[in-house]
Amino acid sequence: VMRSLNHFFDPIRDIGLNNGRTAKDWALDPNTSNEFSWQKALEYYADGNEDRAFLALGHIIHLLEDMAVPDHTRNDPHKGAGPSGLYTGESSYEKWADETQNRNTLTGLAQALNTGGLQPRLFSSLSEHFDFLASYSNKNFYSKDTISSSLFKYPDPSIIEIGEQYAFGKDTLTHRNEK
């Protein structure tokens, strides 16, 4: 089984891609075969193998990053075209990020968020990080194949205005108290 199939977590249905293992379980379940799980990272570090421990930590951070991608939280495969991509198409979000987001465009973002009053969320476990970020992404953003999917209707996001090429709603993180 390809490792990339373990990079999905639909928090609404608590499933991974096509009802498979979730990214959260892949990272956190101590009984998984994942050589880069949280448990393995701790074991590597305790054994003095810091290089392997930090490599495992990097894999876990990557899985957390994937929870910010709507495709990864809405059961929407996006490997690309052709036989190896299974004709699933690419992620429009990941394509946009690759084309427009880089060190230059993101310079000063953390400072701007901080001076704007947005504070980091603190959680007591990695599990809570996975849950929050996957839920936020799933609830506030569509992926290409879930905008009008008849396979599974997600309850959110709620559209309040439709433009020429986009639909708009209110972000649940910054508009928590509004209805």
Side-chain angles (χ1 to χ4, degrees):
V1 174
M2 294 177 8
R3 292 180 61 86
S4 60
L5 298 178
N6 297 307
H7 288 225
F8 293 79
F9 173 36
D10 177 341
I12 303 298
R13 297 180 287 169
D14 194 26
I15 60 170
L17 184 63
N18 297 326
N19 295 313
R21 176 183 18 231
T22 69
K24 178 180 163 182
D25 289 341
W26 181 239
L28 302 178
D29 185 348
N31 299 315
T32 184
S33 61
N34 181 5
E35 64 184 305
F36 302 117
S37 69
W38 178 247
Q39 183 66 37
K40 289 289 189 182
L42 295 176
E43 289 172 15
Y44 295 141
Y45 192 79
D47 291 342
N49 190 345
E50 289 185 8
D51 289 345
R52 194 79 172 156
F54 283 106
L55 179 62
L57 181 59
H59 279 261
I60 293 164
I61 290 170
H62 174 89
L63 291 174
L64 277 170
E65 290 171 338
D66 280 345
M67 299 304 95
V69 179
D71 306 76
H72 285 269
T73 64
R74 296 176 77 86
N75 199 23
D76 190 355
H78 55 277
K79 285 190 51 136
S84 64
L86 307 173
Y87 300 99
T88 59
E90 63 187 347
S91 165
S92 53
Y93 176 85
E94 288 182 346
K95 182 180 179 191
W96 169 82
D98 284 344
E99 292 174 353
T100 64
Q101 304 307 302
N102 56 51
R103 289 184 187 270
N104 292 331
T105 62
L106 296 174
T107 297
L109 177 61
Q111 183 65 36
L113 292 173
N114 186 45
T115 52
L118 190 60
Q119 296 296 311
R121 298 242 175 179
L122 303 176
F123 300 103
S124 60
S125 70
L126 273 173
S127 179
E128 289 179 19
H129 281 279
F130 273 94
D131 290 340
F132 174 80
L133 191 51
S135 294
Y136 177 77
S137 177
N138 179 288
K139 186 172 184 156
N140 288 283
F141 303 96
Y142 286 109
S143 64
K144 181 180 174 186
D145 294 331
T146 63
I147 290 174
S148 60
S149 172
S150 60
L151 277 163
F152 184 79
K153 296 282 187 193
Y154 288 92
D156 292 303
S158 296
I159 298 171
I160 59 173
E161 180 182 337
I162 297 177
E164 286 186 34
Q165 295 183 7
Y166 300 95
F168 302 93
K170 286 191 178 178
D171 179 309
T172 59
L173 185 62
T174 56
H175 292 92
R176 286 176 293 218
N177 297 323
E178 295 180 28
K179 298 224 182 217

